[in-house]
């Protein structure tokens, strides 16, 4: 399959998948069972690795830190935004929330997700107390789901770059209220919205 054929097949597969995801959310709302169904749809899409070749979706060059985030599709009103994130091993993020639902699945590579539980009541917007409640390795065949208030951090593992699909109920650059949490100092801060713009369109 040549490059043009792959692009056309990818565009069609992404559109069909998001169409089914829209139907799931409309039918079930933003619930954990709905996100599990959405994860199943995305796992099927990610399983078609040939649609997401590393040559077309490379990570940053020379093993650099950071990510290349590629926009695959975004629906009207910035809803149902699907990105491909390509990272080199050795990357990590601070614990953070999303303020919208999110589902992450792997085309290739391993990403350890630490999921946190708040131990405080959240009454102080600048402070937190939390602990790691669960660790999930996102890798081919295994994904993870997040409700809007869930908190996680990611850590790219192994010896090969990741190509992971990140699906959000609302596009990242529209998420003004996302927070980062320092599980050591207890400090709560806000993500820089500009940081969340896709690297590539």
């Amino acid at each position: 399959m040549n490059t043009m054929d792959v692009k056309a097949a990818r565009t069609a597969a992404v559109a069909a998948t998001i169409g089914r995801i829209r139907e799931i959310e409309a039918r079930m709302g933003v619930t954990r069972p709905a996100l599990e169904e959405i994860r199943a749809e995305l796992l099927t899409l990610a399983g078609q690795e040939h649609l997401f070749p590393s040559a077309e979706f490379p990570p940053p060059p020379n093993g650099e830190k950071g990510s290349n985030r590629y926009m695959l599709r975004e629906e009207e009103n910035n809803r149902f935004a699907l990105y491909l994130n390509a990272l080199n091993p050795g990357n990590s993020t601070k614990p953070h929330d999303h303020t919208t639902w999110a589902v992450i699945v792997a085309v290739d590579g391993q990403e350890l997700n630490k999921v946190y539980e708040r131990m405080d009541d959240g009454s102080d917007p600048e402070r937190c107390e939390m602990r790691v409640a669960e660790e999930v390795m996102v890798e081919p065949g295994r994904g993870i789901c997040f409700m809007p208030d869930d908190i996680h951090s990611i850590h790219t593992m192994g010896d090969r770059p990741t190509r992971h699909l990140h699906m959000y109920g609302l596009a990242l650059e529209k998420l003004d209220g996302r927070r980062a949490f320092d599980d050591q100092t207890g400090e709560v801060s806000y993500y820089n919205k500009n940081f969340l713009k896709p690297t590539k369109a």
Side-chain angles (χ1 to χ4, degrees), residues 60-81:
N62 304 316
E64 293 173 10
K65 296 291 181 69
S67 67
N68 283 349
R69 179 180 295 116
Y70 303 88
M71 170 64 76
L72 295 177
R73 187 177 177 91
E74 181 180 330
E75 302 282 90
E76 66 274 9
N77 300 318
N78 308 110
R79 295 292 325 278
F80 302 101

Side-chain angles (χ1 to χ4, degrees), residues 150-180:
D150 287 345
I151 300 169
H152 80 132
S153 62
I154 64 173
H155 312 266
T156 51
M157 313 292 285
D159 58 3
R160 58 193 299 154
T162 63
R163 277 172 289 141
H164 287 191
L165 300 180
H166 288 232
M167 178 91 216
Y168 297 92
L170 185 65
L172 283 171
E173 55 269 29
K174 297 298 180 181
L175 304 180
D176 296 331
R178 293 184 72 194
R179 296 170 296 172

Side-chain angles (χ1 to χ4, degrees), residues 84-102:
L84 187 145
N85 276 13
L87 293 83
N88 291 305
N91 275 276
S92 63
T93 67
K94 288 184 177 181
H96 59 274
D97 62 12
H98 295 109
T99 70
T100 188
W101 62 260

Side-chain angles (χ1 to χ4, degrees), residues 124-194:
D124 185 343
E126 297 182 354
R127 308 298 300 173
C128 68
E129 181 183 350
M130 54 194 234
R131 67 177 183 88
V132 176
E134 184 183 14
E135 295 189 357
V136 177
M137 185 67 77
V138 175
E139 55 194 347
R142 189 177 190 193
I144 192 168
C145 310
F146 297 105
M147 293 289 281
D149 292 336
D150 287 345
I151 300 169
H152 80 132
S153 62
I154 64 173
H155 312 266
T156 51
M157 313 292 285
D159 58 3
R160 58 193 299 154
T162 63
R163 277 172 289 141
H164 287 191
L165 300 180
H166 288 232
M167 178 91 216
Y168 297 92
L170 185 65
L172 283 171
E173 55 269 29
K174 297 298 180 181
L175 304 180
D176 296 331
R178 293 184 72 194
R179 296 170 296 172
F181 303 85
D182 191 314
D183 58 332
Q184 302 300 314
T185 68
E187 180 184 8
V188 178
S189 57
Y190 284 88
Y191 261 54
N192 180 346
K193 185 171 69 169
N194 291 329

